[in-house]
Amino acid sequence: MTTVTLQNLRKEFGDVVAVKGIDLEIEDGEFLVIVGPSGCGKSTTLRLLAGLEATTGGRIEMDERDVTGVEPKDRNVAMVFQNYALYPHMTGRRNITFGMKSSGDFTDEEIERRVEDAAETLDIVDLLDRKPEAMSGGERQRVALGRAIVRDPDAFLMDEPLSNLDAKLRIQMRAELARLHSALETTTVYVTHDQTEAMTLGERVVVMNDGQIMQVDEPQALYDFPANRFVAEFIGDPAMNMIPVDIEDGRAVHDAFTLPLPSVDEPASTDRNGAGDAPLGDTQRAVLGIRPEDFHLPDARSDDGLPRIDAEVNVREPLGDSLLLHCSIGATSCNIQAAPRTAVRAGETVSVTYDPARLHLFDAETGDAFYHSESHHSTDEQVLSRASK
Ligand SMILES: Nc1ncnc2c1ncn2[C@@H]1O[C@H](COP(=O)(O)OP(=O)(O)OP(=O)(O)O)[C@@H](O)[C@H]1O
Ligand SMILES: [Mg+2]
């Protein structure tokens, strides 16, 4: 049972401030993913948690115990790294048990029992007597996980553990990790720069940028209700289109179109990232966010009452399961995702509509979201089901 709390956590390396005072509450048994671009401070945060770096400021608690200055070995956490860090001259078994014997914390029988259990769980019984050179990348990573599991730590800290694996194996190991977590229910903090990995693995996801936390939420909520432009553009692939507009009388006005903004008056939306009850009456500059998949090429005869927007197709990219159109809407570049095999050529102008429930508005200066046309939390059910567990 381990909750982890970070309070105003800060790390400086000389002039570089890698972590700029972050607050975070990690629940007992939670699988929390930290995602963000290269250099944003993910690994540093994890290393502070492990005690491998000393903090410059702030506090780390595990189960309400202040561990800020505590040695790594006294924190009972297990790290798993990208480069497995297995000893090449030792067998899988020795790699897994290395350090356990000398620590004196475990009897030989206890070590043996734990290795057998972990090997069973990870399906690596056959690898125990092999050296790393005779294992594939995925097998090595399993052994590295085994080394973490046998310690029965209070928390797993994983830093891009799958990024050395090829795409297919990564997907397979992702499922393994999810299965492992539901079996062990150990608090896990998992760092990645891959948003797909973050979305598929995380029960909650922390989006970091430039040493700061941009948003913490469940994966679907990050996609549906991004708190700011950074999250909106980071989560989702291809990225959300950002279209400069003026807001006038509850409408978004662009050189090439005017579209109505459905009114959002349910109080439920106000607690979602502060966006909601937006003062859409006042004229102001803003950035309208529409995801490529929320544009549609309607049937010419369909009458959905929505305004049509003219988009000139510059480049068409067939992706197999969809067709990505790089377009110009007036002077703004936009990506539009169409059905595969849609008969559209570069140079043509298409007339598109959009999903009115999937509009986002961001402050032109700060980039903070102040309006999502979808007012309901799509994650309500998940939250309830978790709360009732
Ligand atoms: N030991 C160090 N000395 C000086 N600067 C460091 C040190 N470790 C990290 N940094 C700097 O701190 C910042 C955050 O680094 P960090 O390794 O935490 O990023 P990251 O989010 O893990 O990136 P990546 O996705 O590339 O692994 C970077 O600017 C990095 O250059
Ligand atoms: Mg890193």
Side-chain angles (χ1 to χ4, degrees):
M1 299 294 276
T2 308
T3 58
V4 182
T5 310
L6 311 183
Q7 291 168 357
N8 198 16
L9 189 66
R10 190 173 170 87
K11 179 63 184 178
E12 297 165 20
F13 295 105
D15 292 343
V16 179
V17 189
V19 178
K20 296 181 177 168
I22 61 176
D23 294 298
L24 187 62
E25 207 51 62
I26 304 161
E27 290 164 32
D28 175 45
E30 179 173 30
F31 200 117
L32 182 96
V33 176
I34 303 180
V35 69
S38 185
C40 73
K42 305 180 295 292
S43 295
T44 305
T45 303
L46 205 68
R47 292 172 59 81
L48 290 168
L49 267 171
L52 298 172
E53 300 280 358
T55 58
T56 318
R59 185 181 162 93
I60 303 170
E61 286 179 6
M62 293 188 181
D63 283 337
E64 288 162 32
R65 177 170 81 111
D66 183 355
V67 297
T68 316
V70 171
E71 290 285 310
K73 65 176 174 50
D74 298 324
R75 294 198 188 190
N76 199 23
V77 297
M79 285 277 291
V80 183
F81 299 97
Q82 172 178 350
N83 53 5
Y84 333 127
L86 296 183
Y87 296 104
H89 57 286
M90 294 182 188
T91 60
R93 183 187 304 274
R94 275 289 285 149
N95 265 290
I96 289 173
T97 58
F98 185 75
M100 283 179 97
K101 288 195 179 175
S102 53
S103 77
D105 295 342
F106 308 94
T107 64
D108 283 357
E109 288 103 72
E110 177 67 9
I111 291 174
E112 189 52 32
R113 193 185 59 76
R114 288 190 181 205
V115 169
E116 297 305 323
D117 279 358
E120 223 33 61
T121 309
L122 290 162
D123 196 16
I124 52 169
V125 176
D126 294 347
L127 303 178
L128 291 178
D129 298 317
R130 276 192 229 167
K131 290 188 178 164
E133 62 185 7
M135 299 175 195
S136 72
E139 290 170 341
R140 283 180 210 164
Q141 193 53 290
R142 279 209 182 88
V143 172
L145 280 170
R147 189 171 49 187
I149 290 175
V150 285
R151 261 138 250 258
D152 190 19
D154 292 335
F156 289 120
L157 306 177
M158 305 192 181
D159 194 349
E160 312 242 10
L162 307 186
S163 53
N164 279 0
L165 307 179
D166 68 42
K168 196 169 160 207
L169 197 52
R170 223 163 38 222
I171 293 173
Q172 193 186 326
M173 283 298 289
R174 217 157 69 192
E176 292 274 316
L177 280 176
R179 189 183 55 81
L180 195 63
H181 180 253
S182 63
L184 301 176
E185 296 187 325
T186 305
T187 308
T188 303
V189 185
Y190 184 103
V191 162
T192 178
H193 63 270
D194 178 344
Q195 54 132 339
T196 311
E197 214 167 275
M199 298 287 277
T200 50
L201 274 175
E203 288 170 313
R204 284 192 310 156
V205 176
V206 178
V207 182
M208 276 187 83
N209 184 37
D210 195 19
Q212 289 168 305
I213 291 180
M214 296 283 105
Q215 188 170 0
V216 186
D217 226 321
E218 292 172 25
Q220 192 65 47
L222 290 178
Y223 177 91
D224 289 341
F225 304 99
N228 49 55
R229 275 187 69 160
F230 182 83
V231 175
E233 291 180 276
F234 192 79
I235 301 291
D237 183 29
M240 187 186 283
N241 295 295
M242 292 292 164
I243 307 166
V245 293
D246 288 318
I247 306 300
E248 290 171 15
D249 293 330
R251 294 173 310 162
V253 181
H254 180 268
D255 301 342
F257 61 85
T258 295
L259 58 83
L261 297 163
S263 63
V264 181
D265 48 22
E266 296 191 29
S269 65
T270 51
D271 60 34
R272 178 58 75 183
N273 312 325
D277 285 344
L280 295 179
D282 304 343
T283 300
Q284 57 175 313
R285 299 197 48 242
V287 177
L288 171 68
I290 305 182
R291 294 192 183 278
E293 56 272 34
D294 293 329
F295 276 115
H296 302 297
L297 271 68
D299 188 306
R301 289 157 304 176
S302 78
D303 183 16
D304 47 26
L306 291 168
R308 297 293 191 260
I309 299 173
D310 283 343
E312 187 190 339
V313 178
N314 302 319
V315 177
R316 63 195 294 284
E317 265 180 27
L319 299 174
D321 60 347
S322 67
L323 175 66
L324 188 65
L325 303 173
H326 297 258
C327 301
S328 302
I329 294 179
T332 309
S333 300
C334 274
N335 291 326
I336 295 174
Q337 198 171 320
R341 298 173 285 275
T342 304
V344 182
R345 279 193 299 271
E348 256 179 75
T349 295
V350 291
S351 177
V352 300
T353 57
Y354 54 92
D355 184 341
R358 307 241 67 93
L359 305 175
H360 311 271
L361 287 173
F362 304 94
D363 187 286
E365 260 83 59
T366 65
D368 288 342
F370 65 91
Y371 168 91
H372 304 292
S373 59
E374 154 99 278
S375 57
H376 302 284
H377 301 189
S378 56
T379 50
D380 272 359
E381 275 177 22
Q382 273 170 270
V383 173
L384 288 175
S385 75
R386 184 168 323 155
S388 67
K389 261 201 238 163

Coordinates of all heavy atoms in Angstrom, one line a residue, residues 108-159:
D108 N 18.0 -17.8 1.5 CA 18.2 -18.4 0.2 C 16.9 -19.0 -0.3 O 16.6 -18.9 -1.5 CB 19.3 -19.5 0.2 CG 20.7 -18.9 0.3 OD1 20.8 -17.7 0.2 OD2 21.6 -19.7 0.4
E109 N 16.1 -19.6 0.6 CA 14.8 -20.2 0.1 C 13.9 -19.1 -0.3 O 13.2 -19.3 -1.3 CB 14.1 -21.0 1.3 CG 14.7 -22.3 1.7 CD 15.5 -22.1 2.9 OE1 14.9 -22.0 4.0 OE2 16.8 -22.2 2.9
E110 N 13.9 -18.0 0.4 CA 13.0 -16.9 0.1 C 13.4 -16.4 -1.3 O 12.5 -16.1 -2.2 CB 13.1 -15.8 1.1 CG 12.3 -14.5 0.8 CD 10.8 -14.7 0.9 OE1 10.4 -15.8 1.4 OE2 10.1 -13.8 0.5
I111 N 14.6 -16.2 -1.6 CA 15.1 -15.7 -2.9 C 14.6 -16.7 -4.0 O 14.1 -16.3 -5.0 CB 16.6 -15.6 -2.9 CG1 17.1 -14.4 -2.0 CG2 17.1 -15.3 -4.3 CD1 18.5 -14.3 -1.8
E112 N 14.9 -18.0 -3.7 CA 14.5 -19.0 -4.7 C 13.0 -19.0 -5.0 O 12.6 -19.0 -6.2 CB 14.9 -20.4 -4.1 CG 14.8 -21.5 -5.1 CD 15.5 -21.2 -6.4 OE1 16.6 -20.5 -6.4 OE2 15.0 -21.7 -7.5
R113 N 12.2 -18.8 -4.0 CA 10.8 -18.8 -4.1 C 10.3 -17.6 -4.9 O 9.5 -17.7 -5.9 CB 10.1 -18.8 -2.7 CG 8.6 -19.1 -2.8 CD 7.9 -18.9 -1.4 NE 8.1 -17.6 -0.8 CZ 7.4 -16.5 -1.2 NH1 6.5 -16.6 -2.2 NH2 7.6 -15.3 -0.7
R114 N 10.9 -16.5 -4.6 CA 10.5 -15.2 -5.3 C 10.9 -15.3 -6.8 O 10.2 -14.8 -7.7 CB 11.2 -14.0 -4.7 CG 10.6 -13.7 -3.3 CD 11.1 -12.4 -2.9 NE 10.6 -12.0 -1.6 CZ 10.4 -10.8 -1.1 NH1 10.8 -9.8 -1.9 NH2 9.9 -10.5 0.0
V115 N 12.1 -15.9 -7.1 CA 12.6 -16.0 -8.5 C 11.6 -16.9 -9.3 O 11.2 -16.5 -10.4 CB 14.0 -16.5 -8.6 CG1 14.4 -16.9 -10.0 CG2 15.0 -15.5 -8.0
E116 N 11.2 -18.0 -8.6 CA 10.3 -18.9 -9.3 C 9.0 -18.2 -9.6 O 8.4 -18.3 -10.7 CB 10.0 -20.2 -8.5 CG 11.3 -21.0 -8.2 CD 12.0 -21.5 -9.5 OE1 11.3 -21.7 -10.5 OE2 13.2 -21.5 -9.6
D117 N 8.5 -17.5 -8.6 CA 7.2 -16.7 -8.8 C 7.3 -15.7 -9.9 O 6.4 -15.7 -10.8 CB 6.8 -16.0 -7.5 CG 6.2 -16.9 -6.5 OD1 6.0 -18.1 -6.8 OD2 5.9 -16.4 -5.3
A118 N 8.4 -14.9 -9.9 CA 8.5 -13.9 -10.9 C 8.7 -14.5 -12.3 O 8.1 -14.0 -13.2 CB 9.7 -13.0 -10.6
A119 N 9.4 -15.6 -12.4 CA 9.7 -16.2 -13.6 C 8.4 -16.8 -14.2 O 8.1 -16.7 -15.4 CB 10.7 -17.3 -13.5
E120 N 7.6 -17.3 -13.3 CA 6.2 -17.8 -13.7 C 5.4 -16.7 -14.2 O 4.8 -16.7 -15.3 CB 5.6 -18.3 -12.4 CG 4.8 -19.6 -12.2 CD 5.2 -20.8 -13.0 OE1 6.3 -21.3 -12.9 OE2 4.3 -21.2 -13.7
T121 N 5.3 -15.6 -13.5 CA 4.5 -14.4 -13.8 C 4.9 -13.9 -15.2 O 4.1 -13.5 -16.0 CB 4.6 -13.3 -12.8 OG1 4.4 -13.9 -11.5 CG2 3.6 -12.2 -13.0
L122 N 6.2 -13.8 -15.4 CA 6.7 -13.2 -16.6 C 7.0 -14.1 -17.8 O 7.4 -13.7 -18.8 CB 8.0 -12.4 -16.3 CG 7.9 -11.2 -15.4 CD1 9.2 -10.8 -14.8 CD2 7.3 -10.0 -16.2
D123 N 6.7 -15.4 -17.5 CA 6.9 -16.4 -18.5 C 8.4 -16.5 -19.0 O 8.7 -16.4 -20.2 CB 6.0 -16.2 -19.7 CG 5.9 -17.4 -20.6 OD1 6.3 -18.5 -20.2 OD2 5.4 -17.2 -21.8
I124 N 9.3 -16.5 -18.0 CA 10.7 -16.5 -18.4 C 11.5 -17.6 -17.7 O 12.7 -17.6 -17.6 CB 11.4 -15.1 -18.0 CG1 11.2 -14.8 -16.5 CG2 11.0 -14.0 -18.9 CD1 12.1 -13.7 -16.0
V125 N 10.7 -18.7 -17.3 CA 11.4 -19.8 -16.7 C 12.6 -20.3 -17.5 O 13.6 -20.6 -17.0 CB 10.4 -20.9 -16.4 CG1 11.0 -22.2 -15.8 CG2 9.3 -20.4 -15.5
D126 N 12.4 -20.4 -18.9 CA 13.4 -20.9 -19.7 C 14.6 -20.0 -19.9 O 15.6 -20.4 -20.4 CB 12.8 -21.1 -21.2 CG 11.8 -22.2 -21.2 OD1 11.7 -22.9 -20.1 OD2 11.0 -22.3 -22.2
L127 N 14.5 -18.8 -19.4 CA 15.6 -17.8 -19.6 C 16.5 -17.7 -18.4 O 17.6 -17.2 -18.5 CB 15.0 -16.4 -19.9 CG 14.1 -16.3 -21.0 CD1 13.5 -14.8 -21.1 CD2 14.8 -16.6 -22.3
L128 N 16.1 -18.4 -17.3 CA 16.8 -18.2 -16.1 C 18.3 -18.6 -16.2 O 19.1 -18.1 -15.5 CB 16.1 -18.9 -14.9 CG 14.8 -18.3 -14.5 CD1 14.1 -19.1 -13.4 CD2 14.9 -16.9 -14.1
D129 N 18.5 -19.7 -17.0 CA 19.9 -20.2 -17.1 C 20.6 -19.7 -18.3 O 21.7 -20.1 -18.6 CB 19.9 -21.7 -17.0 CG 19.3 -22.1 -15.6 OD1 19.6 -21.5 -14.6 OD2 18.4 -23.0 -15.6
R130 N 20.0 -18.8 -19.0 CA 20.7 -18.2 -20.2 C 21.4 -16.9 -19.8 O 20.9 -16.1 -19.0 CB 19.7 -17.9 -21.3 CG 19.4 -19.1 -22.1 CD 18.6 -18.7 -23.4 NE 17.5 -19.5 -23.5 CZ 16.5 -19.2 -24.4 NH1 16.5 -18.1 -25.1 NH2 15.5 -20.1 -24.5
K131 N 22.4 -16.5 -20.6 CA 23.0 -15.2 -20.5 C 22.3 -14.2 -21.4 O 21.7 -14.6 -22.4 CB 24.5 -15.3 -20.8 CG 25.2 -16.0 -19.7 CD 26.7 -15.9 -19.8 CE 27.4 -16.7 -18.7 NZ 28.8 -17.0 -18.9
P132 N 22.4 -12.9 -21.1 CA 21.7 -11.9 -21.9 C 22.0 -12.0 -23.4 O 21.1 -11.8 -24.3 CB 22.2 -10.6 -21.4 CG 22.5 -10.9 -20.0 CD 23.0 -12.3 -19.9
E133 N 23.2 -12.4 -23.8 CA 23.5 -12.5 -25.2 C 22.7 -13.5 -26.0 O 22.5 -13.4 -27.2 CB 25.0 -12.9 -25.4 CG 25.3 -14.2 -24.8 CD 26.8 -14.6 -24.9 OE1 27.6 -13.7 -25.3 OE2 27.1 -15.7 -24.6
A134 N 22.1 -14.5 -25.2 CA 21.3 -15.5 -25.8 C 19.8 -15.2 -25.7 O 18.9 -16.0 -25.7 CB 21.6 -16.9 -25.3
M135 N 19.5 -13.9 -25.4 CA 18.1 -13.5 -25.3 C 17.7 -12.4 -26.3 O 18.6 -11.6 -26.6 CB 17.8 -12.9 -23.9 CG 18.1 -13.8 -22.7 SD 17.9 -12.9 -21.2 CE 18.7 -14.0 -20.0
S136 N 16.5 -12.3 -26.7 CA 16.0 -11.2 -27.6 C 15.8 -10.0 -26.7 O 15.8 -10.1 -25.5 CB 14.7 -11.6 -28.2 OG 13.7 -11.6 -27.3
G137 N 15.6 -8.9 -27.4 CA 15.4 -7.6 -26.6 C 14.2 -7.7 -25.7 O 14.3 -7.3 -24.5
G138 N 13.1 -8.3 -26.1 CA 11.9 -8.4 -25.3 C 12.2 -9.3 -24.1 O 11.7 -9.1 -23.0
E139 N 13.0 -10.4 -24.3 CA 13.3 -11.3 -23.2 C 14.2 -10.6 -22.2 O 14.0 -10.8 -21.0 CB 14.0 -12.6 -23.8 CG 13.0 -13.4 -24.6 CD 13.7 -14.6 -25.4 OE1 14.9 -14.5 -25.7 OE2 12.9 -15.5 -25.8
R140 N 15.2 -9.9 -22.7 CA 16.0 -9.1 -21.7 C 15.2 -8.2 -20.9 O 15.4 -8.0 -19.7 CB 17.1 -8.3 -22.5 CG 18.2 -9.2 -23.0 CD 19.2 -8.3 -23.7 NE 19.8 -9.1 -24.8 CZ 20.5 -8.7 -25.8 NH1 20.7 -7.4 -25.9 NH2 21.0 -9.5 -26.6
Q141 N 14.2 -7.5 -21.6 CA 13.4 -6.6 -20.8 C 12.5 -7.3 -19.8 O 12.3 -6.8 -18.7 CB 12.5 -5.7 -21.8 CG 11.9 -4.5 -21.1 CD 12.9 -3.6 -20.4 OE1 13.5 -3.9 -19.4 NE2 13.2 -2.4 -21.0
R142 N 12.1 -8.5 -20.1 CA 11.4 -9.3 -19.1 C 12.2 -9.7 -17.9 O 11.7 -9.6 -16.8 CB 10.9 -10.6 -19.8 CG 9.6 -10.5 -20.6 CD 8.9 -11.8 -20.6 NE 7.7 -11.6 -21.4 CZ 7.7 -11.8 -22.7 NH1 8.8 -12.3 -23.3 NH2 6.7 -11.6 -23.5
V143 N 13.5 -10.0 -18.2 CA 14.4 -10.3 -17.1 C 14.6 -9.1 -16.2 O 14.6 -9.2 -15.0 CB 15.7 -10.9 -17.6 CG1 16.7 -11.0 -16.5 CG2 15.5 -12.2 -18.3
A144 N 14.7 -8.0 -16.9 CA 14.9 -6.7 -16.1 C 13.7 -6.4 -15.2 O 13.8 -6.0 -14.1 CB 15.2 -5.5 -17.0
L145 N 12.5 -6.8 -15.8 CA 11.3 -6.6 -15.0 C 11.3 -7.6 -13.8 O 10.8 -7.3 -12.7 CB 10.0 -6.9 -15.9 CG 9.6 -5.7 -16.8 CD1 8.5 -6.2 -17.7 CD2 9.0 -4.6 -15.9
G146 N 11.8 -8.8 -14.1 CA 11.9 -9.8 -13.1 C 12.7 -9.3 -11.9 O 12.3 -9.5 -10.7
R147 N 13.8 -8.7 -12.2 CA 14.7 -8.2 -11.2 C 13.9 -7.1 -10.3 O 14.2 -7.0 -9.1 CB 15.9 -7.5 -11.9 CG 17.0 -7.1 -10.9 CD 18.2 -6.7 -11.6 NE 17.9 -5.7 -12.7 CZ 18.8 -5.3 -13.5 NH1 20.0 -5.8 -13.5 NH2 18.5 -4.4 -14.5
A148 N 13.0 -6.4 -11.0 CA 12.3 -5.4 -10.2 C 11.2 -6.1 -9.3 O 11.0 -5.7 -8.2 CB 11.6 -4.4 -11.1
I149 N 10.6 -7.1 -9.9 CA 9.5 -7.7 -9.2 C 9.9 -8.5 -8.0 O 9.2 -8.4 -6.9 CB 8.7 -8.7 -10.2 CG1 8.0 -8.0 -11.2 CG2 7.8 -9.6 -9.4 CD1 7.4 -8.9 -12.3
V150 N 11.0 -9.2 -8.0 CA 11.4 -10.0 -6.9 C 11.7 -9.2 -5.6 O 11.6 -9.8 -4.5 CB 12.7 -10.9 -7.2 CG1 12.4 -12.0 -8.1 CG2 13.9 -10.0 -7.7
R151 N 11.9 -8.0 -5.8 CA 12.1 -7.1 -4.6 C 10.8 -6.8 -3.9 O 10.9 -6.3 -2.8 CB 12.8 -5.8 -5.0 CG 14.3 -5.9 -4.8 CD 15.1 -5.2 -5.9 NE 15.8 -6.3 -6.6 CZ 17.1 -6.5 -6.4 NH1 17.8 -5.8 -5.7 NH2 17.6 -7.5 -7.1
D152 N 9.7 -7.1 -4.5 CA 8.4 -6.8 -4.0 C 8.4 -5.3 -3.5 O 8.1 -5.1 -2.3 CB 8.0 -7.8 -2.9 CG 6.6 -7.6 -2.5 OD1 5.8 -7.0 -3.2 OD2 6.2 -8.0 -1.3
P153 N 8.7 -4.4 -4.4 CA 8.8 -3.0 -3.9 C 7.5 -2.4 -3.6 O 6.4 -2.8 -4.0 CB 9.5 -2.3 -5.2 CG 8.9 -3.1 -6.3 CD 8.8 -4.5 -5.8
D154 N 7.6 -1.2 -2.9 CA 6.4 -0.4 -2.7 C 5.9 0.2 -4.0 O 4.7 0.6 -4.1 CB 6.6 0.7 -1.6 CG 6.9 0.0 -0.3 OD1 6.4 -1.1 0.0 OD2 7.6 0.7 0.6
A155 N 6.9 0.5 -4.9 CA 6.5 1.2 -6.1 C 7.5 0.8 -7.2 O 8.7 0.6 -7.0 CB 6.5 2.7 -5.9
F156 N 7.0 0.7 -8.4 CA 7.8 0.5 -9.6 C 8.0 1.9 -10.3 O 7.1 2.6 -10.5 CB 7.2 -0.4 -10.7 CG 7.1 -1.8 -10.3 CD1 5.9 -2.5 -10.2 CD2 8.2 -2.6 -10.0 CE1 5.8 -3.8 -9.8 CE2 8.2 -3.9 -9.7 CZ 6.9 -4.5 -9.6
L157 N 9.3 2.2 -10.6 CA 9.5 3.4 -11.4 C 10.1 3.0 -12.7 O 11.2 2.3 -12.7 CB 10.5 4.3 -10.6 CG 10.1 4.6 -9.1 CD1 11.2 5.4 -8.4 CD2 8.8 5.3 -9.1
M158 N 9.5 3.3 -13.8 CA 9.9 2.8 -15.1 C 10.2 3.9 -16.0 O 9.3 4.8 -16.2 CB 8.8 1.9 -15.7 CG 8.4 0.7 -14.8 SD 7.4 -0.5 -15.7 CE 7.1 -1.7 -14.3
D159 N 11.4 3.9 -16.6 CA 11.8 5.0 -17.5 C 11.9 4.5 -18.9 O 12.9 3.9 -19.2 CB 13.1 5.6 -17.0 CG 13.4 7.0 -17.7 OD1 12.7 7.3 -18.6 OD2 14.3 7.7 -17.2

